[in-house]
Amino acid sequence: MTSSTYCKACNKPTTHKEMLVRKPSSYDTDPSLMGKIKLFAHTFINGGHYYDMDRYITCQDCGKRTLDNKGKAFE
């Protein structure tokens, strides 16, 4: 998705691209088999990879990537 947003690096409104990235959970750091099972169960119970996301916008002119979590969906 693209939108026009003010870029602080360019100091003007530019076209930005939106990207959602999953926030790492506490189970991501456990490489054991039990850790993988816990991660799968946590992901399944909490609605998959779309439960806890960060929204980033990237300027199409300069390439600056900014965290932009706004709204009730990201609180």
Side-chain angles (χ1 to χ4, degrees):
M1 172 183 250
T2 59
S3 64
S4 181
T5 308
Y6 183 81
C7 179
K8 292 180 182 178
C10 298
N11 291 324
K12 63 180 178 178
T14 58
T15 305
H16 283 69
K17 193 174 195 177
E18 182 178 323
M19 180 179 10
L20 294 175
V21 178
R22 184 178 68 90
K23 292 180 184 177
S25 73
S26 59
Y27 303 110
D28 286 338
T29 57
D30 191 0
S32 69
L33 178 61
M34 192 61 176
K36 291 179 183 180
I37 292 170
K38 287 179 185 177
L39 177 62
F40 175 75
H42 174 75
T43 303
F44 182 75
I45 291 169
N46 289 321
H49 293 290
Y50 302 105
Y51 174 68
D52 207 11
M53 306 288 278
D54 277 331
R55 178 179 177 255
Y56 288 94
I57 56 172
T58 306
C59 179
Q60 296 296 315
D61 291 345
C62 68
K64 181 170 173 48
R65 184 173 151 180
T66 308
L67 180 65
D68 189 40
N69 288 343
K70 293 179 183 171
K72 291 184 179 182
F74 298 102
E75 293 176 357

